[in-house]
PDB file of all heavy atoms in Angstrom:
ATOM      1  N   ARG A 128       8.063  26.092   4.654  1.00 86.00           N
ATOM      2  CA  ARG A 128       9.345  26.751   4.858  1.00 86.00           C
ATOM      3  C   ARG A 128      10.168  26.001   5.899  1.00 86.00           C
ATOM      4  O   ARG A 128       9.645  25.540   6.909  1.00 86.00           O
ATOM      5  CB  ARG A 128       9.142  28.202   5.312  1.00 86.00           C
ATOM      6  CG  ARG A 128       8.412  29.059   4.277  1.00 86.00           C
ATOM      7  CD  ARG A 128       8.094  30.443   4.814  1.00 86.00           C
ATOM      8  NE  ARG A 128       7.370  31.233   3.826  1.00 86.00           N
ATOM      9  CZ  ARG A 128       7.945  32.031   2.932  1.00 86.00           C
ATOM     10  NH1 ARG A 128       9.268  32.163   2.934  1.00 86.00           N
ATOM     11  NH2 ARG A 128       7.223  32.705   2.068  1.00 86.00           N
ATOM     12  N   PHE A 129      11.460  25.929   5.613  1.00 90.00           N
ATOM     13  CA  PHE A 129      12.392  25.350   6.581  1.00 90.00           C
ATOM     14  C   PHE A 129      13.720  26.051   6.372  1.00 90.00           C
ATOM     15  O   PHE A 129      14.295  25.999   5.276  1.00 90.00           O
ATOM     16  CB  PHE A 129      12.536  23.848   6.382  1.00 90.00           C
ATOM     17  CG  PHE A 129      13.410  23.184   7.410  1.00 90.00           C
ATOM     18  CD1 PHE A 129      13.080  23.234   8.758  1.00 90.00           C
ATOM     19  CD2 PHE A 129      14.578  22.536   7.046  1.00 90.00           C
ATOM     20  CE1 PHE A 129      13.884  22.640   9.724  1.00 90.00           C
ATOM     21  CE2 PHE A 129      15.385  21.936   7.995  1.00 90.00           C
ATOM     22  CZ  PHE A 129      15.035  21.981   9.339  1.00 90.00           C
ATOM     23  N   GLY A 130      14.182  26.715   7.420  1.00 90.00           N
ATOM     24  CA  GLY A 130      15.358  27.550   7.237  1.00 90.00           C
ATOM     25  C   GLY A 130      15.045  28.606   6.194  1.00 90.00           C
ATOM     26  O   GLY A 130      13.999  29.242   6.235  1.00 90.00           O
ATOM     27  N   ALA A 131      15.952  28.762   5.236  1.00 88.00           N
ATOM     28  CA  ALA A 131      15.738  29.725   4.158  1.00 88.00           C
ATOM     29  C   ALA A 131      15.049  29.100   2.950  1.00 88.00           C
ATOM     30  O   ALA A 131      14.827  29.788   1.946  1.00 88.00           O
ATOM     31  CB  ALA A 131      17.074  30.336   3.732  1.00 88.00           C
ATOM     32  N   LEU A 132      14.713  27.830   3.054  1.00 91.00           N
ATOM     33  CA  LEU A 132      14.052  27.147   1.942  1.00 91.00           C
ATOM     34  C   LEU A 132      12.576  27.525   1.873  1.00 91.00           C
ATOM     35  O   LEU A 132      11.921  27.656   2.906  1.00 91.00           O
ATOM     36  CB  LEU A 132      14.143  25.630   2.090  1.00 91.00           C
ATOM     37  CG  LEU A 132      15.519  24.973   2.079  1.00 91.00           C
ATOM     38  CD1 LEU A 132      15.357  23.458   2.200  1.00 91.00           C
ATOM     39  CD2 LEU A 132      16.271  25.333   0.816  1.00 91.00           C
ATOM     40  N   VAL A 133      12.066  27.653   0.656  1.00 90.00           N
ATOM     41  CA  VAL A 133      10.636  27.828   0.423  1.00 90.00           C
ATOM     42  C   VAL A 133      10.230  26.747  -0.571  1.00 90.00           C
ATOM     43  O   VAL A 133      10.676  26.748  -1.720  1.00 90.00           O
ATOM     44  CB  VAL A 133      10.293  29.218  -0.131  1.00 90.00           C
ATOM     45  CG1 VAL A 133       8.786  29.335  -0.342  1.00 90.00           C
ATOM     46  CG2 VAL A 133      10.794  30.311   0.805  1.00 90.00           C
ATOM     47  N   PHE A 134       9.388  25.845  -0.129  1.00 90.00           N
ATOM     48  CA  PHE A 134       9.017  24.672  -0.919  1.00 90.00           C
ATOM     49  C   PHE A 134       7.522  24.696  -1.188  1.00 90.00           C
ATOM     50  O   PHE A 134       6.720  24.855  -0.261  1.00 90.00           O
ATOM     51  CB  PHE A 134       9.415  23.399  -0.152  1.00 90.00           C
ATOM     52  CG  PHE A 134       8.925  22.119  -0.759  1.00 90.00           C
ATOM     53  CD1 PHE A 134       9.171  21.806  -2.084  1.00 90.00           C
ATOM     54  CD2 PHE A 134       8.225  21.205   0.019  1.00 90.00           C
ATOM     55  CE1 PHE A 134       8.715  20.622  -2.627  1.00 90.00           C
ATOM     56  CE2 PHE A 134       7.776  20.008  -0.516  1.00 90.00           C
ATOM     57  CZ  PHE A 134       8.019  19.720  -1.845  1.00 90.00           C
ATOM     58  N   ASP A 135       7.156  24.555  -2.454  1.00 86.00           N
ATOM     59  CA  ASP A 135       5.746  24.492  -2.834  1.00 86.00           C
ATOM     60  C   ASP A 135       5.488  23.132  -3.476  1.00 86.00           C
ATOM     61  O   ASP A 135       5.815  22.924  -4.651  1.00 86.00           O
ATOM     62  CB  ASP A 135       5.393  25.607  -3.816  1.00 86.00           C
ATOM     63  CG  ASP A 135       3.887  25.722  -4.057  1.00 86.00           C
ATOM     64  OD1 ASP A 135       3.211  24.676  -4.008  1.00 86.00           O
ATOM     65  OD2 ASP A 135       3.393  26.835  -4.300  1.00 86.00           O
ATOM     66  N   PRO A 136       4.909  22.177  -2.722  1.00 79.00           N
ATOM     67  CA  PRO A 136       4.733  20.826  -3.257  1.00 79.00           C
ATOM     68  C   PRO A 136       3.744  20.745  -4.407  1.00 79.00           C
ATOM     69  O   PRO A 136       3.852  19.851  -5.249  1.00 79.00           O
ATOM     70  CB  PRO A 136       4.236  20.026  -2.042  1.00 79.00           C
ATOM     71  CG  PRO A 136       3.647  21.046  -1.127  1.00 79.00           C
ATOM     72  CD  PRO A 136       4.444  22.284  -1.322  1.00 79.00           C
ATOM     73  N   LEU A 137       2.779  21.657  -4.469  1.00 72.00           N
ATOM     74  CA  LEU A 137       1.811  21.611  -5.564  1.00 72.00           C
ATOM     75  C   LEU A 137       2.403  22.156  -6.855  1.00 72.00           C
ATOM     76  O   LEU A 137       2.164  21.631  -7.936  1.00 72.00           O
ATOM     77  CB  LEU A 137       0.544  22.375  -5.188  1.00 72.00           C
ATOM     78  CG  LEU A 137      -0.258  21.786  -4.033  1.00 72.00           C
ATOM     79  CD1 LEU A 137      -1.523  22.584  -3.796  1.00 72.00           C
ATOM     80  CD2 LEU A 137      -0.613  20.320  -4.313  1.00 72.00           C
ATOM     81  N   ALA A 138       3.188  23.222  -6.734  1.00 77.00           N
ATOM     82  CA  ALA A 138       3.863  23.766  -7.920  1.00 77.00           C
ATOM     83  C   ALA A 138       5.098  22.963  -8.284  1.00 77.00           C
ATOM     84  O   ALA A 138       5.589  23.038  -9.413  1.00 77.00           O
ATOM     85  CB  ALA A 138       4.244  25.229  -7.680  1.00 77.00           C
ATOM     86  N   GLY A 139       5.603  22.181  -7.327  1.00 82.00           N
ATOM     87  CA  GLY A 139       6.799  21.374  -7.580  1.00 82.00           C
ATOM     88  C   GLY A 139       8.061  22.205  -7.638  1.00 82.00           C
ATOM     89  O   GLY A 139       8.997  21.863  -8.366  1.00 82.00           O
ATOM     90  N   THR A 140       8.091  23.296  -6.860  1.00 88.00           N
ATOM     91  CA  THR A 140       9.246  24.188  -6.905  1.00 88.00           C
ATOM     92  C   THR A 140       9.899  24.323  -5.536  1.00 88.00           C
ATOM     93  O   THR A 140       9.249  24.219  -4.502  1.00 88.00           O
ATOM     94  CB  THR A 140       8.848  25.594  -7.395  1.00 88.00           C
ATOM     95  OG1 THR A 140       7.828  26.133  -6.541  1.00 88.00           O
ATOM     96  CG2 THR A 140       8.336  25.539  -8.824  1.00 88.00           C
ATOM     97  N   LEU A 141      11.188  24.593  -5.571  1.00 92.00           N
ATOM     98  CA  LEU A 141      11.988  24.819  -4.369  1.00 92.00           C
ATOM     99  C   LEU A 141      12.795  26.079  -4.592  1.00 92.00           C
ATOM    100  O   LEU A 141      13.503  26.201  -5.602  1.00 92.00           O
ATOM    101  CB  LEU A 141      12.913  23.627  -4.116  1.00 92.00           C
ATOM    102  CG  LEU A 141      13.968  23.793  -3.018  1.00 92.00           C
ATOM    103  CD1 LEU A 141      13.304  23.887  -1.651  1.00 92.00           C
ATOM    104  CD2 LEU A 141      14.955  22.635  -3.053  1.00 92.00           C
ATOM    105  N   VAL A 142      12.678  27.019  -3.670  1.00 91.00           N
ATOM    106  CA  VAL A 142      13.462  28.254  -3.756  1.00 91.00           C
ATOM    107  C   VAL A 142      14.616  28.156  -2.773  1.00 91.00           C
ATOM    108  O   VAL A 142      14.404  27.996  -1.560  1.00 91.00           O
ATOM    109  CB  VAL A 142      12.600  29.495  -3.456  1.00 91.00           C
ATOM    110  CG1 VAL A 142      13.463  30.755  -3.503  1.00 91.00           C
ATOM    111  CG2 VAL A 142      11.451  29.598  -4.456  1.00 91.00           C
ATOM    112  N   VAL A 143      15.833  28.248  -3.301  1.00 89.00           N
ATOM    113  CA  VAL A 143      17.051  28.226  -2.487  1.00 89.00           C
ATOM    114  C   VAL A 143      17.791  29.527  -2.766  1.00 89.00           C
ATOM    115  O   VAL A 143      18.375  29.700  -3.842  1.00 89.00           O
ATOM    116  CB  VAL A 143      17.942  27.020  -2.837  1.00 89.00           C
ATOM    117  CG1 VAL A 143      19.182  27.000  -1.940  1.00 89.00           C
ATOM    118  CG2 VAL A 143      17.175  25.723  -2.703  1.00 89.00           C
ATOM    119  N   GLY A 144      17.741  30.447  -1.822  1.00 83.00           N
ATOM    120  CA  GLY A 144      18.345  31.751  -2.059  1.00 83.00           C
ATOM    121  C   GLY A 144      17.611  32.473  -3.173  1.00 83.00           C
ATOM    122  O   GLY A 144      16.396  32.660  -3.120  1.00 83.00           O
ATOM    123  N   ASP A 145      18.350  32.854  -4.224  1.00 85.00           N
ATOM    124  CA  ASP A 145      17.734  33.522  -5.368  1.00 85.00           C
ATOM    125  C   ASP A 145      17.507  32.553  -6.528  1.00 85.00           C
ATOM    126  O   ASP A 145      17.242  32.967  -7.654  1.00 85.00           O
ATOM    127  CB  ASP A 145      18.599  34.697  -5.829  1.00 85.00           C
ATOM    128  CG  ASP A 145      20.017  34.266  -6.217  1.00 85.00           C
ATOM    129  OD1 ASP A 145      20.340  33.061  -6.061  1.00 85.00           O
ATOM    130  OD2 ASP A 145      20.794  35.130  -6.665  1.00 85.00           O
ATOM    131  N   LYS A 146      17.585  31.252  -6.231  1.00 89.00           N
ATOM    132  CA  LYS A 146      17.454  30.223  -7.272  1.00 89.00           C
ATOM    133  C   LYS A 146      16.161  29.433  -7.072  1.00 89.00           C
ATOM    134  O   LYS A 146      15.849  29.016  -5.955  1.00 89.00           O
ATOM    135  CB  LYS A 146      18.660  29.268  -7.205  1.00 89.00           C
ATOM    136  CG  LYS A 146      18.606  28.113  -8.194  1.00 89.00           C
ATOM    137  CD  LYS A 146      19.834  27.231  -8.065  1.00 89.00           C
ATOM    138  CE  LYS A 146      19.882  26.527  -6.715  1.00 89.00           C
ATOM    139  NZ  LYS A 146      21.011  25.557  -6.618  1.00 89.00           N
ATOM    140  N   THR A 147      15.410  29.248  -8.140  1.00 91.00           N
ATOM    141  CA  THR A 147      14.196  28.433  -8.097  1.00 91.00           C
ATOM    142  C   THR A 147      14.444  27.154  -8.876  1.00 91.00           C
ATOM    143  O   THR A 147      14.866  27.190 -10.046  1.00 91.00           O
ATOM    144  CB  THR A 147      12.991  29.184  -8.704  1.00 91.00           C
ATOM    145  OG1 THR A 147      12.747  30.362  -7.955  1.00 91.00           O
ATOM    146  CG2 THR A 147      11.742  28.302  -8.673  1.00 91.00           C
ATOM    147  N   VAL A 148      14.193  26.035  -8.217  1.00 90.00           N
ATOM    148  CA  VAL A 148      14.446  24.711  -8.807  1.00 90.00           C
ATOM    149  C   VAL A 148      13.113  24.008  -9.030  1.00 90.00           C
ATOM    150  O   VAL A 148      12.254  23.993  -8.147  1.00 90.00           O
ATOM    151  CB  VAL A 148      15.332  23.858  -7.868  1.00 90.00           C
ATOM    152  CG1 VAL A 148      15.571  22.482  -8.474  1.00 90.00           C
ATOM    153  CG2 VAL A 148      16.640  24.568  -7.583  1.00 90.00           C
ATOM    154  N   SER A 149      12.939  23.428 -10.208  1.00 89.00           N
ATOM    155  CA  SER A 149      11.775  22.587 -10.481  1.00 89.00           C
ATOM    156  C   SER A 149      12.140  21.141 -10.167  1.00 89.00           C
ATOM    157  O   SER A 149      13.134  20.625 -10.691  1.00 89.00           O
ATOM    158  CB  SER A 149      11.349  22.710 -11.952  1.00 89.00           C
ATOM    159  OG  SER A 149      10.871  24.013 -12.230  1.00 89.00           O
ATOM    160  N   LEU A 150      11.358  20.521  -9.299  1.00 87.00           N
ATOM    161  CA  LEU A 150      11.670  19.173  -8.834  1.00 87.00           C
ATOM    162  C   LEU A 150      10.899  18.121  -9.616  1.00 87.00           C
ATOM    163  O   LEU A 150       9.738  18.325  -9.985  1.00 87.00           O
ATOM    164  CB  LEU A 150      11.334  19.035  -7.348  1.00 87.00           C
ATOM    165  CG  LEU A 150      12.071  19.978  -6.398  1.00 87.00           C
ATOM    166  CD1 LEU A 150      11.513  19.832  -4.988  1.00 87.00           C
ATOM    167  CD2 LEU A 150      13.568  19.679  -6.403  1.00 87.00           C
ATOM    168  N   ARG A 151      11.536  16.986  -9.845  1.00 83.00           N
ATOM    169  CA  ARG A 151      10.857  15.846 -10.437  1.00 83.00           C
ATOM    170  C   ARG A 151      10.024  15.165  -9.355  1.00 83.00           C
ATOM    171  O   ARG A 151      10.223  15.389  -8.165  1.00 83.00           O
ATOM    172  CB  ARG A 151      11.879  14.868 -11.022  1.00 83.00           C
ATOM    173  CG  ARG A 151      12.707  15.462 -12.159  1.00 83.00           C
ATOM    174  CD  ARG A 151      13.751  14.480 -12.645  1.00 83.00           C
ATOM    175  NE  ARG A 151      14.555  15.043 -13.722  1.00 83.00           N
ATOM    176  CZ  ARG A 151      15.573  14.409 -14.289  1.00 83.00           C
ATOM    177  NH1 ARG A 151      15.912  13.190 -13.863  1.00 83.00           N
ATOM    178  NH2 ARG A 151      16.257  14.981 -15.259  1.00 83.00           N
ATOM    179  N   ASN A 152       9.120  14.287  -9.791  1.00 80.00           N
ATOM    180  CA  ASN A 152       8.140  13.718  -8.861  1.00 80.00           C
ATOM    181  C   ASN A 152       8.748  13.096  -7.613  1.00 80.00           C
ATOM    182  O   ASN A 152       8.372  13.422  -6.493  1.00 80.00           O
ATOM    183  CB  ASN A 152       7.275  12.687  -9.580  1.00 80.00           C
ATOM    184  CG  ASN A 152       6.198  13.344 -10.423  1.00 80.00           C
ATOM    185  OD1 ASN A 152       5.875  14.510 -10.221  1.00 80.00           O
ATOM    186  ND2 ASN A 152       5.651  12.613 -11.373  1.00 80.00           N
ATOM    187  N   LYS A 153       9.688  12.166  -7.773  1.00 85.00           N
ATOM    188  CA  LYS A 153      10.231  11.469  -6.604  1.00 85.00           C
ATOM    189  C   LYS A 153      11.081  12.399  -5.753  1.00 85.00           C
ATOM    190  O   LYS A 153      11.090  12.298  -4.524  1.00 85.00           O
ATOM    191  CB  LYS A 153      11.050  10.245  -7.036  1.00 85.00           C
ATOM    192  CG  LYS A 153      10.252   9.161  -7.750  1.00 85.00           C
ATOM    193  CD  LYS A 153       9.108   8.634  -6.894  1.00 85.00           C
ATOM    194  CE  LYS A 153       8.385   7.502  -7.599  1.00 85.00           C
ATOM    195  NZ  LYS A 153       7.140   7.088  -6.931  1.00 85.00           N
ATOM    196  N   GLU A 154      11.811  13.313  -6.387  1.00 89.00           N
ATOM    197  CA  GLU A 154      12.567  14.297  -5.628  1.00 89.00           C
ATOM    198  C   GLU A 154      11.619  15.153  -4.787  1.00 89.00           C
ATOM    199  O   GLU A 154      11.878  15.422  -3.614  1.00 89.00           O
ATOM    200  CB  GLU A 154      13.353  15.205  -6.579  1.00 89.00           C
ATOM    201  CG  GLU A 154      14.386  14.501  -7.420  1.00 89.00           C
ATOM    202  CD  GLU A 154      14.925  15.396  -8.524  1.00 89.00           C
ATOM    203  OE1 GLU A 154      14.469  16.553  -8.639  1.00 89.00           O
ATOM    204  OE2 GLU A 154      15.799  14.936  -9.275  1.00 89.00           O
ATOM    205  N   LEU A 155      10.522  15.554  -5.419  1.00 87.00           N
ATOM    206  CA  LEU A 155       9.536  16.385  -4.737  1.00 87.00           C
ATOM    207  C   LEU A 155       8.958  15.669  -3.524  1.00 87.00           C
ATOM    208  O   LEU A 155       8.878  16.231  -2.429  1.00 87.00           O
ATOM    209  CB  LEU A 155       8.436  16.750  -5.740  1.00 87.00           C
ATOM    210  CG  LEU A 155       7.373  17.781  -5.338  1.00 87.00           C
ATOM    211  CD1 LEU A 155       6.788  18.416  -6.602  1.00 87.00           C
ATOM    212  CD2 LEU A 155       6.246  17.142  -4.544  1.00 87.00           C
ATOM    213  N   ARG A 156       8.549  14.419  -3.709  1.00 84.00           N
ATOM    214  CA  ARG A 156       7.938  13.672  -2.611  1.00 84.00           C
ATOM    215  C   ARG A 156       8.952  13.380  -1.507  1.00 84.00           C
ATOM    216  O   ARG A 156       8.606  13.372  -0.321  1.00 84.00           O
ATOM    217  CB  ARG A 156       7.313  12.379  -3.129  1.00 84.00           C
ATOM    218  CG  ARG A 156       6.219  12.599  -4.171  1.00 84.00           C
ATOM    219  CD  ARG A 156       5.168  13.587  -3.697  1.00 84.00           C
ATOM    220  NE  ARG A 156       4.308  14.024  -4.810  1.00 84.00           N
ATOM    221  CZ  ARG A 156       3.530  15.081  -4.775  1.00 84.00           C
ATOM    222  NH1 ARG A 156       3.461  15.833  -3.700  1.00 84.00           N
ATOM    223  NH2 ARG A 156       2.804  15.404  -5.834  1.00 84.00           N
ATOM    224  N   LEU A 157      10.195  13.133  -1.894  1.00 90.00           N
ATOM    225  CA  LEU A 157      11.219  12.868  -0.885  1.00 90.00           C
ATOM    226  C   LEU A 157      11.471  14.121  -0.050  1.00 90.00           C
ATOM    227  O   LEU A 157      11.555  14.047   1.184  1.00 90.00           O
ATOM    228  CB  LEU A 157      12.511  12.409  -1.560  1.00 90.00           C
ATOM    229  CG  LEU A 157      13.681  12.078  -0.631  1.00 90.00           C
ATOM    230  CD1 LEU A 157      13.297  10.963   0.351  1.00 90.00           C
ATOM    231  CD2 LEU A 157      14.911  11.656  -1.447  1.00 90.00           C
ATOM    232  N   LEU A 158      11.583  15.274  -0.707  1.00 91.00           N
ATOM    233  CA  LEU A 158      11.777  16.512   0.036  1.00 91.00           C
ATOM    234  C   LEU A 158      10.582  16.785   0.947  1.00 91.00           C
ATOM    235  O   LEU A 158      10.748  17.245   2.085  1.00 91.00           O
ATOM    236  CB  LEU A 158      11.978  17.685  -0.919  1.00 91.00           C
ATOM    237  CG  LEU A 158      12.158  19.058  -0.257  1.00 91.00           C
ATOM    238  CD1 LEU A 158      13.339  19.052   0.710  1.00 91.00           C
ATOM    239  CD2 LEU A 158      12.333  20.141  -1.320  1.00 91.00           C
ATOM    240  N   GLU A 159       9.387  16.475   0.476  1.00 87.00           N
ATOM    241  CA  GLU A 159       8.186  16.690   1.297  1.00 87.00           C
ATOM    242  C   GLU A 159       8.229  15.842   2.558  1.00 87.00           C
ATOM    243  O   GLU A 159       7.842  16.290   3.637  1.00 87.00           O
ATOM    244  CB  GLU A 159       6.937  16.362   0.476  1.00 87.00           C
ATOM    245  CG  GLU A 159       5.648  16.816   1.115  1.00 87.00           C
ATOM    246  CD  GLU A 159       4.487  16.796   0.134  1.00 87.00           C
ATOM    247  OE1 GLU A 159       4.500  15.961  -0.780  1.00 87.00           O
ATOM    248  OE2 GLU A 159       3.580  17.616   0.293  1.00 87.00           O
ATOM    249  N   ILE A 160       8.708  14.614   2.437  1.00 88.00           N
ATOM    250  CA  ILE A 160       8.837  13.739   3.609  1.00 88.00           C
ATOM    251  C   ILE A 160       9.796  14.365   4.626  1.00 88.00           C
ATOM    252  O   ILE A 160       9.494  14.451   5.818  1.00 88.00           O
ATOM    253  CB  ILE A 160       9.344  12.346   3.182  1.00 88.00           C
ATOM    254  CG1 ILE A 160       8.270  11.612   2.381  1.00 88.00           C
ATOM    255  CG2 ILE A 160       9.745  11.515   4.410  1.00 88.00           C
ATOM    256  CD1 ILE A 160       8.771  10.355   1.693  1.00 88.00           C
ATOM    257  N   PHE A 161      10.954  14.819   4.139  1.00 92.00           N
ATOM    258  CA  PHE A 161      11.949  15.390   5.036  1.00 92.00           C
ATOM    259  C   PHE A 161      11.475  16.697   5.668  1.00 92.00           C
ATOM    260  O   PHE A 161      11.644  16.908   6.869  1.00 92.00           O
ATOM    261  CB  PHE A 161      13.254  15.641   4.273  1.00 92.00           C
ATOM    262  CG  PHE A 161      14.086  14.416   4.028  1.00 92.00           C
ATOM    263  CD1 PHE A 161      14.575  14.131   2.764  1.00 92.00           C
ATOM    264  CD2 PHE A 161      14.398  13.548   5.057  1.00 92.00           C
ATOM    265  CE1 PHE A 161      15.348  13.015   2.529  1.00 92.00           C
ATOM    266  CE2 PHE A 161      15.179  12.418   4.848  1.00 92.00           C
ATOM    267  CZ  PHE A 161      15.653  12.144   3.571  1.00 92.00           C
ATOM    268  N   ILE A 162      10.878  17.565   4.852  1.00 90.00           N
ATOM    269  CA  ILE A 162      10.543  18.902   5.352  1.00 90.00           C
ATOM    270  C   ILE A 162       9.359  18.858   6.317  1.00 90.00           C
ATOM    271  O   ILE A 162       9.186  19.750   7.144  1.00 90.00           O
ATOM    272  CB  ILE A 162      10.268  19.857   4.168  1.00 90.00           C
ATOM    273  CG1 ILE A 162      10.620  21.298   4.545  1.00 90.00           C
ATOM    274  CG2 ILE A 162       8.826  19.760   3.682  1.00 90.00           C
ATOM    275  CD1 ILE A 162      10.660  22.257   3.374  1.00 90.00           C
ATOM    276  N   ASN A 163       8.547  17.802   6.227  1.00 83.00           N
ATOM    277  CA  ASN A 163       7.427  17.645   7.161  1.00 83.00           C
ATOM    278  C   ASN A 163       7.872  17.072   8.502  1.00 83.00           C
ATOM    279  O   ASN A 163       7.103  17.093   9.470  1.00 83.00           O
ATOM    280  CB  ASN A 163       6.353  16.739   6.558  1.00 83.00           C
ATOM    281  CG  ASN A 163       5.476  17.461   5.556  1.00 83.00           C
ATOM    282  OD1 ASN A 163       5.277  18.666   5.657  1.00 83.00           O
ATOM    283  ND2 ASN A 163       4.956  16.747   4.578  1.00 83.00           N
ATOM    284  N   ALA A 164       9.092  16.545   8.556  1.00 86.00           N
ATOM    285  CA  ALA A 164       9.593  15.970   9.806  1.00 86.00           C
ATOM    286  C   ALA A 164      11.079  16.270   9.956  1.00 86.00           C
ATOM    287  O   ALA A 164      11.917  15.373   9.921  1.00 86.00           O
ATOM    288  CB  ALA A 164       9.344  14.458   9.830  1.00 86.00           C
TER     289      ALA A 164
END
Side-chain angles (χ1 to χ4, degrees):
R128 298 174 181 269
F129 184 60
L132 297 182
V133 180
F134 172 53
D135 190 328
L137 295 183
T140 57
L141 171 67
V142 178
V143 182
D145 58 356
K146 177 180 66 175
T147 299
V148 179
S149 294
L150 300 173
R151 297 177 181 177
N152 281 342
K153 296 302 183 189
E154 298 169 359
L155 188 156
R156 300 308 167 196
L157 180 59
L158 179 57
E159 192 165 30
I160 291 169
F161 282 131
I162 209 168
N163 281 331

